[in-house]
Amino acid sequence: MTTGAERRLMLVAVGLATAAGCASYSAELRAGKRGEREGGLATYYSPRLAGHKTANGERYDPKQFTAAHPVIPFGTHVQVTRTDGTNRAVIVRVNDRCKGGKKIIDVSESAARQLDMLRVGIVPVELEVVAPPP
């Protein structure tokens, strides 16, 4: 069992490690500023994760339009648009974290279905922040 002080110290350490790994993201994107854009690859959550807790404490529901992103604040709404010629798009709410790199977002099963990516699994996308966090 950890004390309150130990828990705070762990949170600070995790925050510093996360910030160091996310240095390549703009301050505007990390703040969830409307209009900020990012390009990369999208994947979607495995159906086996249904019911598991997300990073913000919610349970993952494949029927909701949610997503994981490395730094965009929880509650931010982003439009995810395929850039491979289909131009299919969906708006999702960020409620979880993912590692980042070339893969910039993990979307829920419902969002993946709207993006028509269930068969291929990974697609090139552009993200645009459409509503900042509340």
Side-chain angles (χ1 to χ4, degrees), residues 67-129:
H69 186 275
V71 299
I72 293 176
F74 297 141
T76 302
H77 287 79
V78 296
Q79 180 171 303
V80 182
T81 305
R82 285 183 63 166
T83 58
D84 59 359
T86 66
N87 289 326
R88 293 180 72 103
V90 64
I91 295 176
V92 295
R93 180 178 51 84
V94 176
N95 72 339
D96 203 3
R97 293 287 176 236
C98 63
K99 289 189 179 184
K102 290 182 181 180
K103 181 187 76 171
I104 59 171
I105 195 163
D106 282 329
V107 298
S108 66
E109 186 177 342
S110 291
R113 188 176 317 285
Q114 188 161 329
L115 290 168
D116 192 26
M117 62 180 284
L118 290 176
R119 196 169 40 94
V120 293
I122 187 165
V123 295
V125 297
E126 181 178 72
L127 309 182
E128 180 181 357
V129 175

Side-chain angles (χ1 to χ4, degrees), residues 44-66:
Y44 67 94
Y45 283 89
S46 164
R48 293 180 303 206
L49 296 176
H52 285 79
K53 280 191 176 182
T54 62
N56 77 345
E58 294 177 17
R59 299 272 178 195
Y60 168 58
D61 180 353
K63 296 176 184 171
Q64 299 296 313
F65 288 85
T66 57

